[in-house]
Amino acid sequence: MTHSPQAAQSHPFLTRRNRTILHLSLPIMLSLIAEPVTGLVDTGFVARLGAVPLAALGVGASALSSAFWIFGFLGIATQTDVAQLYGRGREADAGRALSLAFAVGIVFSVLLSALLIPGAHIVSRALGAEGEVLALAAQYIQLRMLGAPAVLVVIVGFGALRGLQDMKTPLWIALAINLANIVLDYALIFGWAGLPAIGVAGAGLASSLSQWLGAAWLLWVVHRRLGLSRDLSWRDSFRLLRVSRDLIVRSGSLTLFLLFATRVATQLGPEAGAAHQVIRQVWFFTALFVEAFATTAQSLVGYFYGSGSIGYARQVAVSTMRWSLAAGLALMLAMLIATPIVSEALAPADALAVFSLPWIIASVSQPLNALAFITDGIHWGTGDYRYLRNAMVLATVAGLFGLQLIAFETAASFSAVWLVTVGWIGIRAFFGVLRVLPGIGSSPFRSRELKADR
């Protein structure tokens, strides 16, 4: 393969390091924040219906975000492939790779829908839901799955555009998706303009309709930018799956831990389940601030790594780690200051008794979480997927063991769920940093040369 070290030497990161990181990260941050803002609006709307509907939303949202997160490997792999091709000066080759990723994503979404629409009750029950919580959660899952193909199209398309360091287009599409979702949420949850009030089910239907709107816009944009090819080889699709197998295992391990944590919290009672939904939504919301730096790191590291400029890729890694850690400290302070506001606005009155201490635990974990996220992005950029897989599997095995030890009859049980979660994050952060500084094992950042073909 032909590399482009001359082009890499003229990249603005090398002369305006901090400005370039912020210029790329801020649009990502806004686009990533848009979805959890909608999740918070969902939570706020449904919280007005009571603890049982909110617990059902927590179960359904956890199941689906986890399912879609597993298939996030398509977006990650697409972003890395496109970024590295861009660094090699082969932007035109990205169109075929993107088309293949779209095709694989649509196949997966159809299979996922075929499993979860009839199996919604089984999944909800597996997460600890019973009675009315079970029925409402299953309805939410079934209606959300109507938008599954659109969700995966958006994941893949955003990855391709960010690989090209186009961070603004995904922002505008994400804002449109989530604005439509908020409007439809209100109309379908409470009833408006002649539409019936269908509660939790309305939140699921609103999400599906808005995702299809965004997918249509995104397909038009990427077709104009890269072109979409009909000449697809299923042999290449199997290659994509082989390349992504470590990401699948990693995502599955991450999802398994989050699902099991939700199960444990839900089994502690509707109050703990509702409180867990609030903390989980805010935790994801704050984590996406640092994920913006991780996505920037992935694109820049991939670009320089693809051009053969390992030293520049290492500079990106160190700079983005500093920015992410600073963001984590700021988020910790913001969460602690906002404790009374969040309690009043999002937590149902009957869940307040179990809310405060787990909220503080989640707040002080933010700097550690920032390091876990940023090192994920750095290693995605180099394609160091196997190392990330091993670190995640280790963290998840330890985390599941910790969750199993929680005693259900004690008052501190729900707090223990979040203490175990912090430990799970810490293991990931520890091994992520070691791979960059000093660069343990066969770290790509210790390589002096980039092989011509990987």
Side-chain angles (χ1 to χ4, degrees):
M1 293 183 179
T2 302
H3 307 303
S4 304
Q6 294 81 12
Q9 291 172 2
S10 64
H11 195 281
F13 171 81
L14 302 180
T15 55
R16 299 186 299 274
R17 183 171 303 183
N18 293 329
R19 179 178 176 181
T20 300
I21 291 173
L22 289 176
H23 177 75
L24 294 175
S25 297
L26 288 177
I28 302 171
M29 190 177 298
L30 293 173
S31 63
L32 291 175
I33 288 171
E35 182 173 352
V37 164
T38 304
L40 290 173
V41 172
D42 279 353
T43 300
F45 284 162
V46 176
R48 293 166 59 182
L49 304 178
V52 169
L54 185 57
L57 176 67
V59 170
S62 178
L64 290 177
S65 63
S66 299
F68 292 136
W69 204 342
I70 290 176
F71 296 106
F73 77 87
L74 288 169
I76 294 169
T78 301
Q79 181 172 340
T80 296
D81 286 347
V82 171
Q84 292 187 3
L85 287 168
Y86 188 29
R88 295 176 189 133
R90 296 175 54 188
E91 182 177 342
D93 290 346
R96 181 183 172 119
L98 173 60
S99 301
L100 179 62
F102 275 144
V104 172
I106 290 172
V107 170
F108 274 131
S109 69
V110 171
L111 294 175
L112 186 63
S113 298
L115 288 172
L116 287 186
I117 290 177
H121 285 83
I122 297 173
V123 171
S124 300
R125 187 176 293 110
L127 291 177
E130 297 178 351
E132 189 178 356
V133 173
L134 173 63
L136 293 175
Q139 286 181 349
Y140 179 85
I141 290 172
Q142 290 167 338
L143 289 169
R144 277 287 305 272
M145 287 311 300
L146 298 178
V151 171
L152 293 191
V153 164
V154 170
I155 289 172
V156 171
F158 279 10
L161 292 173
R162 288 168 179 156
L164 295 172
Q165 298 174 29
D166 175 4
M167 311 304 188
K168 291 183 178 179
T169 302
L171 168 61
W172 299 123
I173 296 175
L175 289 176
I177 290 173
N178 289 282
L179 179 60
N181 196 7
I182 290 172
V183 173
L184 290 170
D185 256 351
Y186 185 85
L188 293 171
I189 291 173
F190 301 113
W192 180 61
L195 295 174
I198 55 177
V200 176
L205 183 58
S207 294
S208 291
L209 293 174
S210 58
Q211 285 291 340
W212 278 111
L213 171 66
W217 185 0
L218 181 60
L219 286 170
W220 177 74
V221 169
V222 296
H223 181 65
R224 292 188 60 189
R225 178 70 187 271
L226 293 172
L228 296 176
S229 174
R230 297 180 181 177
D231 183 21
L232 302 179
S233 167
W234 287 109
R235 179 181 300 177
D236 290 340
S237 70
F238 293 131
R239 179 195 61 80
L240 173 63
L241 292 178
R242 287 196 301 270
V243 168
S244 302
R245 67 186 181 274
D246 295 327
L247 282 172
I248 297 172
V249 173
R250 177 196 172 275
S251 297
S253 299
L254 181 151
T255 300
L256 178 62
F257 176 83
L258 295 177
L259 286 174
F260 199 79
T262 297
R263 173 185 169 85
V264 172
T266 303
Q267 288 179 327
L268 293 173
E271 294 80 11
H276 186 70
Q277 164 66 1
V278 173
I279 297 172
R280 190 181 70 92
Q281 283 288 352
V282 177
W283 183 73
F284 278 127
F285 174 68
T286 56
L288 293 180
F289 280 89
V290 292
E291 187 174 343
F293 291 109
T295 304
T296 293
Q298 181 183 358
S299 291
L300 289 176
V301 168
Y303 174 82
F304 287 120
Y305 189 71
S307 72
S309 305
I310 303 298
Y312 296 156
R314 189 182 296 111
Q315 291 178 29
V316 171
V318 173
S319 296
T320 52
M321 284 171 64
R322 290 172 179 166
W323 273 103
S324 187
L325 184 58
L329 290 168
L331 288 168
M332 178 186 70
L333 293 175
M335 286 182 67
L336 292 173
I337 292 171
T339 299
I341 299 173
V342 174
S343 299
E344 182 177 351
L346 297 178
D350 48 1
L352 289 176
V354 297
F355 177 79
S356 298
L357 183 55
W359 170 263
I360 293 172
I361 293 169
S363 300
V364 299
S365 72
Q366 289 304 313
L368 201 60
N369 205 36
L371 289 177
F373 270 81
I374 191 64
T375 52
D376 281 351
I378 291 166
H379 301 314
W380 286 334
T382 62
D384 198 6
Y385 303 135
R386 181 175 298 178
Y387 180 82
L388 287 176
R389 176 203 67 188
N390 293 341
M392 181 62 74
V393 169
L394 176 63
T396 296
V397 169
L400 292 177
F401 179 74
L403 290 173
Q404 289 279 20
L405 295 178
I406 294 174
F408 280 74
E409 66 273 9
T410 67
S413 295
F414 182 47
S415 298
V417 171
W418 278 93
L419 283 174
V420 172
T421 300
V422 173
W424 173 73
I425 295 168
I427 294 172
R428 294 169 50 206
F430 176 75
F431 285 102
V433 172
L434 283 183
R435 191 67 161 178
V436 180
L437 300 171
I440 61 172
S442 56
S443 170
F445 293 101
R446 299 179 63 181
S447 303
R448 294 185 178 274
E449 295 181 357
L450 183 65
K451 293 182 179 179
D453 191 2
R454 292 185 303 276

